[in-house]
């Protein structure tokens, strides 16, 4: 297939189309995954910050006595509490402060009086953060070094509900941004890798998808070549006969009749070939429905032997039958098609049996199956050819010897009819000893679909 430019180009187009579509899907999916991860972490960060702020607010509101004044117990609640203008950092009890259950290295706290003046700071307070109070409840700010922080501002009150001031709880977003950067790098590296794998897989899948198409294309090419060859031979013979007659100055009645007989013979051959091709085309393309009926195989075999006796005598071949059952055997199907099926097998056996040979038709029953064996003493078929003899236009004789006649469609039609009736056609053969073609059908009760058997 790779050597065929048309299919190779089509395979590349399919692979690139698959890769482009999958690349677009993966890109959108990757962007969506990134947005979902970022949103989920941002929501978790917000909730964590709100939880810390709420807990701290409830704790401080119970301890504050006067507006703008910090009580000593506040030192136990906040880590590294430092008053603005005081250089010393008072030591706190680590097991009491509000950050004991989270990572305090990311959090800071700022306390403002009611006028917005910074009173104290606690936690991991960044030195470059603006010290101007902003009453916005929730905000994201950036220091002079470009570090990003997220903070919440909450009002504070004393025990007797006087306005004390404000406090802000904030955290650094460095870990959050580092995590998102890692996710970005994973997606940036993962997408090209995935596209490479998708491209390679697309190439393989395109090849697998096109194999049956290429096989059909080859069969069509072979079928077209074989049909052209078969049609060309009788056409060439007819043309040569006509040209010969035209070149003869005067034709007597005997020569004219002989010329007409030759043309008639070639036309009959063309008509039969075209009819066979049309039948196979109908079988391939659409089912042919017909009314089922019981067909007695005993009568069918007897009629065929009587009809083909003259052909066997002309070939000096003994044509016999052997009925191994005492009662009539019937199947459900189309009598004309079944007649043609068995006729093709017997005619094929007679044609490939040398003078003095024998063709024996055996009818028997095995369990619920009806078997018809067509046995001949011809030249036999090699093992490597037995798989192809049911192919259209295939002949064991590669030179297409016209001594045996035929177009190479008889066995193909026979197998198609057998399969359409739910049966099977097999062959057993050995070079020099002859062949046995075996038909198998169910007796009488053939399963029907909508009360009709279809050739498909």
């Amino acid at each position: 297939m790779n050597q065929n430019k048309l299919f190779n180009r089509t395979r590349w187009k399919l692979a690139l189309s698959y890769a482009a579509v999958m690349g677009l899907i993966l890109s959108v999916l990757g962007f969506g995954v990134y947005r979902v991860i970022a949103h989920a972490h941002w929501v978790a960060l917000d909730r964590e910050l709100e939880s810390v702020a709420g807990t701290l607010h409830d704790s401080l509101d119970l301890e504050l006595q006067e507006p703008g004044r910090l009580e000593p117990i506040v030192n136990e609640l906040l880590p590294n509490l430092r008053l603005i203008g005081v250089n010393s950092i008072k030591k706190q009890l680590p097991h009491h402060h509000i950050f004991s259950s989270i990572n305090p290295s990311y959090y800071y706290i700022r306390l403002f009086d009611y006028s917005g003046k910074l009173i104290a700071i606690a936690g991991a307070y960044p030195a470059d953060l603006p010290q101007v109070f902003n009453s916005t409840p929730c905000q994201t700010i950036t220091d002079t070094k470009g570090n990003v922080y997220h903070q919440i501002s909450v009002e504070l009150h004393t025990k007797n509900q006087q306005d004390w001031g404000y406090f802000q709880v904030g955290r650094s977003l460095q870990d959050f941004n580092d995590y998102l950067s890692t996710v970005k790098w994973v997606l940036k590296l993962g997408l090209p890798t995935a596209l490479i794998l998708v491209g390679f897989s697309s190439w393989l899948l395109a090849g697998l998808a096109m194999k049956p198409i290429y096989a059909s294309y080859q069969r069509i090419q072979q079928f077209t070549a074989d049909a052209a060859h078969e049609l060309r031979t009788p056409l060439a013979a007819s043309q040569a006969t006509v040209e010969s007659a035209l070149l003869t100055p005067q034709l007597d009645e005997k020569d004219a009749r002989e010329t007409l007989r030759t043309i008639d013979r070639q036309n009959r051959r063309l008509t039969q070939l075209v009819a066979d091709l049309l039948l196979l085309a109908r079988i391939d393309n659409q089912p042919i429905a017909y009314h089922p009926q019981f067909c007695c195989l005993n009568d069918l075999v007897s009629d065929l032997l009587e009809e083909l006796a003259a052909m066997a005598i002309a070939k000096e071949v003994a044509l016999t039958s052997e009925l191994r059952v005492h009662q009539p055997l019937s199947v459900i199907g189309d009598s004309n098609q079944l007649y043609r099926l068995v006729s093709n097998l017997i005619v094929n056996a007679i044609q490939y049996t040398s003078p003095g040979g024998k063709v024996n038709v055996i009818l028997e029953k095995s369990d619920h199956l009806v078997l018809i064996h067509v046995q001949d003493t011809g030249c036999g078929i090699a093992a490597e050819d037995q798989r192809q003899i049911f192919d259209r236009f295939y002949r064991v004789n590669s030179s297409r010897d016209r001594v045996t006649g035929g177009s190479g469609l008889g066995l193909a039609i026979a197998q198609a009819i057998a399969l359409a009736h739910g049966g099977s056609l097999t062959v057993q053969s050995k070079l020099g000893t002859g062949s046995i073609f075996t038909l198998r059908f169910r007796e009488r009760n053939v399963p029907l679909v909508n009360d009709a058997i279809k050739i498909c």
Side-chain angles (χ1 to χ4, degrees):
M1 183 171 65
N2 291 334
Q3 296 178 352
N4 188 295
K5 292 183 178 179
L6 174 63
F7 279 86
N8 195 33
R9 186 167 59 251
T10 304
R11 184 179 183 181
W12 272 111
K13 288 182 178 179
L14 282 175
L16 291 175
S17 300
Y18 292 158
V21 172
M22 288 302 300
L24 179 61
I25 293 174
L26 289 175
S27 299
V28 174
L29 183 62
F31 179 76
V33 168
Y34 175 79
R35 297 298 301 172
V36 168
I37 292 175
H39 177 73
H41 277 71
W42 186 261
V43 169
L45 182 146
D46 244 0
R47 289 178 179 175
E48 182 181 289
L49 198 58
E50 289 175 1
S51 175
V52 172
T55 303
L56 183 60
H57 174 270
D58 294 342
S59 301
L60 291 177
D61 268 4
L62 295 175
E63 304 298 336
L64 297 175
Q65 302 291 335
E66 297 180 11
R69 186 170 72 93
L70 290 176
E71 305 301 329
I73 195 172
V74 175
N75 294 322
E76 299 180 6
L77 298 176
L78 302 178
N80 302 327
L81 181 65
R82 181 162 61 90
L83 298 177
I84 298 303
V86 180
N87 293 329
S88 62
I89 299 176
K90 296 184 178 180
K91 190 174 181 181
Q92 33 74 36
L93 300 175
H95 59 280
H96 286 305
H97 65 72
I98 202 68
F99 290 154
S100 59
S101 60
I102 60 175
N103 189 346
S105 61
Y106 296 120
Y107 282 84
Y108 64 87
I109 297 173
R110 299 195 292 183
L111 297 171
F112 296 86
D113 61 16
Y114 207 71
S115 64
K117 179 184 177 181
L118 184 61
I119 298 176
I121 57 177
Y125 182 76
D128 299 322
L129 201 65
Q131 296 187 1
V132 179
F133 175 70
N134 191 323
S135 60
T136 304
C138 185
Q139 59 181 325
T140 302
I141 58 177
T142 306
D143 64 11
T144 56
K145 295 182 179 179
N147 299 316
V148 183
Y149 300 86
H150 188 59
Q151 66 182 20
I152 294 178
S153 300
V154 183
E155 289 188 10
L156 280 176
H157 303 85
T158 62
K159 278 186 177 183
N160 55 7
Q161 298 301 315
Q162 290 180 301
D163 293 333
W164 186 94
Y166 305 90
F167 79 93
Q168 290 179 338
V169 179
R171 83 183 305 276
S172 170
L173 297 183
Q174 185 63 43
D175 59 328
F176 177 73
N177 292 331
D178 289 345
Y179 178 79
L180 291 184
S181 297
T182 303
V183 173
K184 285 181 181 178
W185 275 108
V186 170
L187 293 176
K188 288 179 180 179
L189 295 177
L191 183 60
T193 304
L195 285 178
I196 293 174
L197 295 176
V198 166
F200 180 71
S201 301
S202 299
W203 170 258
L204 295 180
L205 291 175
L208 291 176
M210 293 186 65
K211 272 187 177 180
I213 301 175
Y214 185 67
S216 298
Y217 173 76
Q218 286 185 313
R219 285 196 296 269
I220 291 173
Q221 276 192 322
Q222 185 64 41
F223 181 82
T224 303
D226 291 338
H229 186 280
E230 295 296 334
L231 292 170
R232 183 178 58 187
T233 302
L235 287 174
S238 297
Q239 182 67 26
T241 302
V242 172
E243 290 178 355
S244 177
L246 291 175
L247 292 174
T248 303
Q250 293 183 347
L251 282 177
D252 56 23
E253 183 179 353
K254 181 179 179 182
D255 292 338
R257 286 185 174 276
E258 186 63 30
T259 299
L260 291 176
R261 288 193 189 96
T262 301
I263 296 175
D264 178 68
R265 186 169 58 252
Q266 298 300 333
N267 284 341
R268 288 177 182 274
R269 184 176 172 189
L270 278 173
T271 301
Q272 183 61 43
L273 178 59
V274 171
D276 290 343
L277 290 175
L278 289 175
L279 174 62
L280 288 172
R282 287 197 300 270
I283 291 175
D284 285 341
N285 295 330
Q286 59 183 359
I288 303 175
Y290 56 86
H291 296 291
Q293 57 185 342
F294 282 100
C295 301
C296 179
L297 296 182
N298 304 61
D299 295 340
L300 186 147
V301 171
S302 299
D303 292 345
L304 278 172
L305 261 65
E306 182 179 347
E307 179 181 333
L308 298 175
M311 179 182 180
I313 292 173
K315 284 279 295 182
E316 300 181 7
V317 173
L319 179 60
T320 60
S321 65
E322 184 179 343
L323 303 180
R324 296 179 180 177
V325 289
H326 300 289
Q327 76 278 10
L329 297 179
S330 299
V331 296
I332 298 178
D334 184 277
S335 58
N336 293 328
Q337 297 293 343
L338 293 174
Y339 191 90
R340 183 170 188 177
L341 164 58
V342 181
S343 173
N344 283 359
L345 295 180
I346 298 176
V347 169
N348 187 74
I350 293 174
Q351 288 177 339
Y352 283 92
T353 299
S354 302
K358 180 180 179 181
V359 174
N360 189 27
V361 182
I362 303 170
L363 179 62
E364 64 176 351
K365 177 181 177 182
S366 176
D367 295 330
H368 297 289
L369 295 178
V370 177
L371 287 81
I372 300 178
H373 306 282
V374 180
Q375 183 177 10
D376 64 66
T377 58
C379 57
I381 305 170
E384 59 271 16
D385 293 321
Q386 292 180 20
R387 296 181 180 178
Q388 304 177 64
I389 58 173
F390 297 109
D391 294 344
R392 297 166 191 185
F393 296 111
Y394 182 80
R395 290 193 186 90
V396 176
N397 189 348
S398 59
S399 65
R400 297 178 179 264
D401 185 9
R402 293 300 170 187
V403 175
T404 58
S407 60
L409 295 175
L411 290 179
I413 293 174
Q415 188 186 52
I417 296 173
L419 294 176
H421 284 74
S424 64
L425 175 60
T426 57
V427 61
Q428 292 179 331
S429 184
K430 190 175 181 180
L431 283 177
T433 60
S435 306
I436 302 176
F437 287 84
T438 302
L439 276 169
R440 293 178 176 83
F441 295 106
R442 287 187 177 275
E443 183 186 11
R444 285 185 175 272
N445 296 322
V446 179
L448 303 180
V449 179
N450 296 329
D451 296 330
I453 297 179
K454 294 185 177 181
I455 296 181
C456 54

